[in-house]
Amino acid sequence: MAATAGGNKIRNAKLVLLGDVGAGKSSLVLRFVKGQFVEFQESTIGAAFFSQTLAVNDETVKFEIWDTAGQERYHSLAPMYYRGAAAAIVVYDITNAASFTRAKKWVQELQAQGNPNTVMALAGNKADLLEARQVPAEEAKAYAQENGLFFMETSAKTAINVNDVFYEIAKKLLQGQQTQNPQGGMVLNQRPPERTVSSSSCCV
Amino acid sequence: MAEADAGSSPSSVDGGGGGSVQNDYPTIDPTSFDVVICGTGLPESVLAAACAAAGKTVLHVDPSSLYGSLYSSIPLPSLASFLSPDPSPPSSTAAAPDSHTVVDLQRRSVYSEVEFSGAAPEPARRFTVDLVGPRVLYCADEAVDLLLRSGGSHHVEFKSVEGGSLLYWEGCLYPVPGKRQDIFIDKTLGLLEKRTLNKFFNLVKEHVAAASVSPDEAGEVDASAKIPEEDLDLPFVEFLEKQGLSPKMRAVVLYAIAMADYDQDGADPLERLITTREGIQTISLYSSSIGRFANAEGAFIYPMYGHGELPQAFCRCAAVKGALYVLRMPVAALLLDEEKKHFVGARLASGQDILCKQLIIDPSYEIPTLDTSFGGPDLKSPRKVARGVCIISKSVKQGSSNVLVVFPPKSLEEQQVAAVRLLQLSSNLAVCPPETFVAYLSTPCTDVSSGKQCIQKAMHALFSPQASDGSEGHLETADESTVKPTLIWNCVYVQEIRQGTSRPLLSCPMPDEHLDYRNILESTKKLFTDIYPDEEFLPKKSAPVYADDDTDSE
C-alpha cells in the first residue's frame, strides 16, 4: 500500500457508491480520482475499486472506492458490497425524479445492510443541467437532514462540488473517532506464491 | 418469494426457488447472451468470472435474494426453510419461439433427515450458518490462487484457524504438529515418537524438494532423496508402518494431515485407500500452506462472515467484467433445440425467454433427461455426507478461537468407517455473537442413519448437553478448563453429493465431503475447459487493474 506520508496518520476507509444506473456514480469517481469526465460514460465495466488519498489538515484518509459494477441494475448487490463501508455516497440525477425516489430506497437499504456508523452523503448529480431540473434542491436537502445525511449537488462534468463531497466525508470520518474495523481479518496479498520448499518453519 | 424491493431483508432467503406468484419480475435487456448461468454457488460463480474474463457475455440469475445457492452462508433462522424447501411450482409451458421445445426445470431435494435440537440464543440472526461446513482453505491451495488471479481476494478477509488441529484419540484431544518445533515441545509425544515423526517429515520434505526440481536440473540434486516409485504406489498406511510410525502417529498423519476420509486399516473397498503419492501431495500442500502468508497462523484460513462470501467475491469479479446479475429470478424452464439436442436458452419466471449459446445450471436442479439416448446420468445413487452444525458455549481448546478436530475412524465407535471432522469457529470471524462458538461437523456416509449417528457421537464426545434447569451443568465442580463446552443448539442433516456434468446440460458440482475446495474447483475448471477448450481458465491478467493513487493504470 501507499507509503506513510511524512509520518501522518493514514486512515483507510472503504467508500461505496449507490444509486441508479445512469445517475453518474462512476463519473463522480472518475472526476475525483482522475480529474476526467467522459460525456457518454459506458455502464461500469472494468474496475472493482479505485483508491485515492485525501489530506485533511495533518491527517490523511485513503479512500478505497467501490463502484457497483452494474450489480445495482437489477437490485442484486451482494451483502459483501456494504460490509465494512465507512462511508457511502448515494447518487441521484437532479434531472430525473425517479432516480431521487430510488435514491431514498438506497438509503433505506444502506441503513438495513450497512453499519450504523457509516458516514452517508447524498449527491444530486448533473447539477450543470439546471434547465432540466426535476428534483428541487430544497426537497433533497430536507430529506437529507431528516435522515442524517449530508447533501450536496454535484456535477462530474464541471467538477462542481465533487472534491468537496469527498473532502466533507473525510472530515466526518476523522471526527468520528471510530475504531478502525477492529475485527478486520487479513486480505490475501498479491505476493506470488513461493514454490520453494525451503520455508524453514515447516515440518516438511 | 422476496419482497420487490430486494435484499433489504435477510430473512427473505428462499432456498426453494419457487414461491408465491409475484409478477413484478424485471424485464431483462438484452435477451441474448453467450452464457446464461442459473444459481450462484461457488462453481457457478467461478464459471461466471471465468466466462466474463474470457470476453463472453454472461447473464447470471438466482431464484434467491442471497448469493451462494448450495454454497451460501445464511442467517440461522432461515436454515430450516433452506434445508426443507417448498416443492418447485408448476412451470408455464406456453409455446416457445422458433420451434424450441420447453423443458420444465425442477428442483431436487438435496438435503434429507434434517433434525434440529435446542433453542438458538437470541437474536438468532446473528448466527450465520455455512451450508458447506466444515470447510477451510489451505493458504496454498487452488481456491486461494483463483482468488488472487481473479482479483476476488480484494473482496474477502480471512482469519486463521489459529488453534491448529487436534486429534481425538482414546477419548482425549491431542495437538497435531504443524511446525517442526511443535514436535519437540509436544508433551504428549514420547521421545521415540518424536524421533520417528521427525524422521518421517524429513523424508517427505526431501522427497518433495527433489521431486519439484525440473528434469533438466535434476543432475544437481540428490535423486536418492526421492521416495521410490514402488513406495509411492503403496497404500499410504503401509508406507507409514514401514517408517515405524505408531498407530496414534499414523492416525495423525493419515486423518489429520493427509485428510484421509475412510478407514485405512479396514481397506473396504480398496479404492478408499489413499496411496503414498496422494498422501504426500496433501502433506506437501499442508506444509507449503504454513507460512505462505506472513500474517496467517497455521495452514488453514477461513473467510470472515462465512463461506458464502466466496461466491459473492467471484460474482463481483464477473460483474466487473460485464456479467449481468439478477437475483430473485427463478428459471422456470429450459429451451431445447430438439434436432440438435442442445439447450439454447432459459425461460425465466417472468415468462421472458433468454437465448444463449451455453447454459449452466446449479446442481440443485434436476438435469432434464433428453429422451433415452443419454441414459440418465442420475441412475447411480449419489454419495452422501452427514453434516452437523452446533452452537456451543466455549472453545474446545482453551485460549483458541478457531480449531479443527479430527475423529479418526473407529475412534468414536467400532462401526465408525469414516473420519469425522469438526471445525470450531469463534466470533472473531463475525459468524456468531461474542461468548459463543459455532462448530461444523461432517462425515461421508453411505448409510444415512449411521452417518448421523457418528455426527451425534462426535458432538457428545466433546460437548455436554444443555442442563434442563440450567444448574446441573456445573455439578462437576472441576476447574473451568476441564469442563466440556455446553451444546446449546444443533442441527444434523444429510446432503447428497452430485458431481458436475457437462452433458447433456452443464450442471455444477455440489459441495463435497472434503475439508477444502480442491476437488470442486478442479472439476469446475474441467467444465470450463469442456465448453471453452481454447480459452484460458481465469488467466492472471484477468484480475482488474486497480487505479491506485501512486500508479497510473492507463
Side-chain angles (χ1 to χ4, degrees), chain B residues 237-490:
Chain B
V237 61
E238 281 181 36
F239 182 73
L240 296 178
E241 277 170 44
K242 265 173 69 171
Q243 300 304 315
L245 270 69
S246 67
K248 183 178 148 200
M249 288 300 103
R250 289 206 295 272
V252 164
V253 173
L254 286 168
Y255 306 108
I257 301 182
M259 297 299 165
D261 281 316
Y262 290 97
D263 191 354
Q264 302 293 303
D265 292 307
D268 170 43
L270 275 175
E271 73 224 41
R272 288 177 173 175
L273 278 183
I274 61 167
T275 62
T276 305
R277 196 185 308 278
E278 290 164 331
I280 284 179
Q281 202 179 8
T282 308
I283 296 179
S284 155
L285 173 66
Y286 178 80
S287 65
S288 58
S289 291
I290 295 170
R292 171 163 184 199
F293 297 110
N295 40 1
E297 259 182 271
F300 304 124
I301 50 174
Y302 180 92
M304 288 191 69
Y305 307 102
H307 276 277
E309 297 296 289
L310 301 178
Q312 292 179 43
F314 285 104
C315 287
R316 184 163 163 81
C317 294
V320 165
K321 293 280 173 185
L324 192 56
Y325 276 84
V326 190
L327 294 181
R328 285 163 250 104
M329 179 61 89
V331 169
L334 305 180
L335 305 178
L336 176 71
D337 182 327
E338 281 280 9
E339 258 170 53
K340 295 181 184 152
K341 296 289 172 224
H342 181 68
F343 289 97
V344 291
R347 171 164 297 172
L348 304 179
S350 57
Q352 192 183 5
D353 287 332
I354 303 285
L355 297 180
C356 65
K357 299 189 188 100
Q358 181 64 52
L359 198 58
I360 296 174
I361 63 164
D362 179 307
S364 60
Y365 290 100
E366 206 77 64
I367 301 171
T369 42
L370 304 183
D371 64 44
T372 49
S373 58
F374 278 107
D378 282 0
L379 291 179
K380 268 193 303 183
S381 81
R383 304 198 315 276
K384 291 195 168 72
V385 55
R387 297 193 195 276
V389 190
C390 312
I391 296 175
I392 52 174
S393 61
K394 62 169 203 164
S395 177
V396 298
K397 182 182 176 189
Q398 209 182 9
S400 293
S401 302
N402 310 316
V403 185
L404 182 72
V405 180
V406 177
F407 302 81
K410 291 197 169 70
S411 65
L412 291 161
E413 57 178 357
E414 195 51 34
Q415 306 92 296
Q416 183 197 352
V417 293
V420 177
R421 284 185 285 262
L422 178 150
L423 178 65
Q424 173 198 282
L425 306 170
S426 75
S427 61
N428 78 5
L429 292 161
V431 294
C432 56
E435 313 291 309
T436 57
F437 292 81
V438 176
Y440 294 95
L441 302 95
S442 76
T443 191
C445 62
T446 40
D447 176 61
V448 293
S449 61
S450 61
K452 279 179 76 176
Q453 189 177 321
C454 277
I455 297 290
Q456 259 137 6
K457 289 235 160 174
M459 285 182 190
H460 294 133
L462 294 194
F463 313 138
S464 45
Q466 176 92 293
S468 49
D469 62 355
S471 63
E472 287 169 44
H474 290 287
L475 271 186
E476 296 165 57
T477 63
D479 71 297
E480 194 52 22
S481 64
T482 61
V483 175
K484 287 179 180 179
T486 305
L487 180 58
I488 298 167
W489 170 93
N490 75 86

Side-chain angles (χ1 to χ4, degrees), chain B residues 166-186:
Chain B
L166 300 171
L167 182 82
Y168 183 81
W169 187 258
E170 290 170 351
C172 297
L173 291 172
Y174 294 93
V176 172
K179 307 192 225 39
R180 181 177 305 167
Q181 301 92 291
D182 294 348
I183 299 178
F184 295 110
I185 59 171
D186 189 341

Side-chain angles (χ1 to χ4, degrees), chain B residues 97-168:
Chain B
D98 305 331
S99 71
H100 297 139
T101 310
V102 179
V103 182
D104 277 358
L105 197 56
Q106 298 291 336
R107 288 265 172 159
R108 57 179 151 212
S109 48
V110 176
Y111 307 108
S112 59
E113 310 281 325
V114 182
E115 218 178 298
F116 288 89
S117 162
E122 290 298 329
R125 62 186 163 70
R126 289 192 63 192
F127 293 89
T128 305
V129 180
D130 287 343
L131 295 172
V132 300
R135 201 170 294 263
V136 294
L137 283 74
Y138 285 86
C139 289
D141 74 8
E142 182 71 8
V144 168
D145 280 347
L146 282 183
L147 282 167
L148 289 171
R149 265 155 53 189
S150 64
S153 54
H154 289 277
H155 311 319
V156 197
E157 291 184 11
F158 290 87
K159 283 206 171 148
S160 302
V161 180
E162 96 297 339
S165 309
L166 300 171
L167 182 82
Y168 183 81

Side-chain angles (χ1 to χ4, degrees), chain B residues 14-16 38-45 62-64 66-74 82-83 85 107-111 129-133 135 307-308 311 361-365 387 493 495-498 507-512 517 520:
Chain B
D14 186 345
C38 176
T40 53
L42 183 69
E44 299 93 87
S45 305
D62 194 301
S64 169
L66 281 192
Y67 282 90
S69 302
L70 300 179
Y71 293 77
S72 54
S73 300
I74 53 181
F82 205 102
L83 295 178
R107 288 265 172 159
R108 57 179 151 212
S109 48
V110 176
Y111 307 108
V129 180
D130 287 343
L131 295 172
V132 300
R135 201 170 294 263
H307 276 277
I361 63 164
D362 179 307
S364 60
Y365 290 100
R387 297 193 195 276
Y493 61 97
Q495 184 219 308
E496 63 171 52
I497 305 169
R498 291 193 190 260
S507 171
C508 291
M510 286 187 183
D512 60 18
Y517 287 113
I520 290 164

